[in-house]
Amino acid sequence: MENNKVLFMVFDNQVVYLQNSNMDHREWFVSLGRNPDEFDNVIRGFVMDGKIVFFKGMNFNYDQGVIDVATKVAPSIRITLQNPNLEVYCGIVINSYGEKWEPVLKINEEELVGYLPKQEEKKESVSTPSELANGPILELKNNYNDDKFVQLAIRMTTFVLIIFVGYVLFSIIFHKNPIPRLDYFLWFLEVFLLIFTIYGYKKKLNMVKYIAMVASVLLLLMFHPFSIILGVFYLLFNVDHSYIISLFSFFKKIGKKKSS
């Protein structure tokens, strides 16, 4: 037999190995102080040419016991020999002298103890320019079907409306120069949109979120520092009200620290 293969035997619930030796399995078994009469029942084998081959008896045959041991210990042999690609077989066909011995039964991967199916690598999807163009530019994360959010949205829109009307009255009263007609038109349109938004929330209109977004953007387009700040505030609320909740919580914490 060739001495370039790794011999192994399975007994006492362990796998023992022998490499670079001219001894066969029987000679090795006896050298370990084992009883020669027990040798025929010892499951043994070798690793060579990318294969792990299990067998027992003088005819290198196999039975269900050999198969059970092979499925159990083959993974550990792969680990010990640091070769996860070793194929697993049971039994050997003995041909004429000098010819290569061939294994009989191949053990499939899924039969091995501890087998885990290989998961396909998830490919990161890359959006094409056309997909980006067709996708939503701004994703609204509020749940417009939630009654709690609707009530909060009504209160928030009412608050923005009151603040904006106060800003308009202040501008009319304290503005020294004549106010352009465009400003009056934008003010009137903004008040109308905010009132309609409150109405839409109360009636649970599907379009209310878009009306609220238009009202937010219109505040930004007035290009006045106060209206821009108010517009950013209302826009953040309409996109994801959790931003505003977090902002209020932050100011509350600061207030508590100062009071303490």
Side-chain angles (χ1 to χ4, degrees), residues 77-96:
I77 294 177
R78 286 174 170 177
I79 294 174
T80 300
L81 300 181
Q82 299 181 354
N83 189 348
N85 298 318
L86 290 172
E87 296 179 345
V88 184
Y89 293 86
C90 292
I92 293 178
V93 175
I94 304 177
N95 295 315
S96 302

Side-chain angles (χ1 to χ4, degrees), residues 9-185:
M9 291 188 291
V10 183
F11 52 78
D12 297 337
N13 294 320
Q14 63 178 338
V15 182
V16 293
Y17 300 89
L18 178 66
Q19 190 173 10
N20 299 325
S21 174
N22 291 322
M23 286 192 297
D24 60 20
H25 282 95
R26 175 179 284 276
E27 293 172 336
W28 177 31
F29 184 75
V30 173
S31 72
L32 295 175
R34 314 292 295 195
N35 185 352
D37 295 335
E38 299 175 354
F39 177 72
D40 284 347
N41 294 322
V42 173
I43 296 174
R44 63 194 193 275
F46 58 80
V47 180
M48 187 176 67
D49 297 334
K51 300 180 180 68
I52 308 173
V53 185
F54 293 81
F55 50 82
K56 72 175 184 179
M58 295 302 297
N59 294 323
F60 309 100
N61 54 11
Y62 68 94
D63 55 17
Q64 188 59 48
V66 174
I67 295 174
D68 292 341
V69 170
T71 58
K72 182 179 179 181
V73 306
S76 67
I77 294 177
R78 286 174 170 177
I79 294 174
T80 300
L81 300 181
Q82 299 181 354
N83 189 348
N85 298 318
L86 290 172
E87 296 179 345
V88 184
Y89 293 86
C90 292
I92 293 178
V93 175
I94 304 177
N95 295 315
S96 302
Y97 179 79
E99 292 186 6
K100 187 176 181 180
W101 294 3
E102 295 294 338
V104 180
L105 176 69
K106 182 176 182 180
I107 304 298
N108 296 323
E109 285 295 313
E110 56 269 22
E111 298 179 75
L112 299 179
V113 174
Y115 166 76
L116 292 175
K118 294 182 179 180
Q119 297 181 350
E120 294 183 0
E121 296 182 0
K122 294 183 178 179
K123 296 182 180 180
E124 297 183 359
S125 59
V126 179
S127 299
T128 62
S130 59
E131 291 174 337
L132 292 174
N134 295 329
I137 298 175
L138 189 63
E139 183 181 359
L140 305 181
K141 297 184 178 181
N142 295 324
N143 183 4
Y144 291 87
N145 295 319
D146 184 8
D147 290 337
K148 290 184 179 180
F149 170 75
V150 170
Q151 293 301 318
L152 178 61
I154 291 173
R155 293 196 298 269
M156 187 62 67
T157 306
T158 303
F159 169 76
V160 173
L161 174 62
I162 293 172
I163 296 298
F164 181 73
V165 170
Y167 158 72
V168 170
L169 293 176
F170 179 86
S171 299
I172 294 174
I173 295 172
F174 295 99
H175 202 283
K176 297 180 180 180
N177 300 320
I179 298 175
R181 291 182 179 180
L182 179 60
D183 286 357
Y184 280 110
F185 172 76

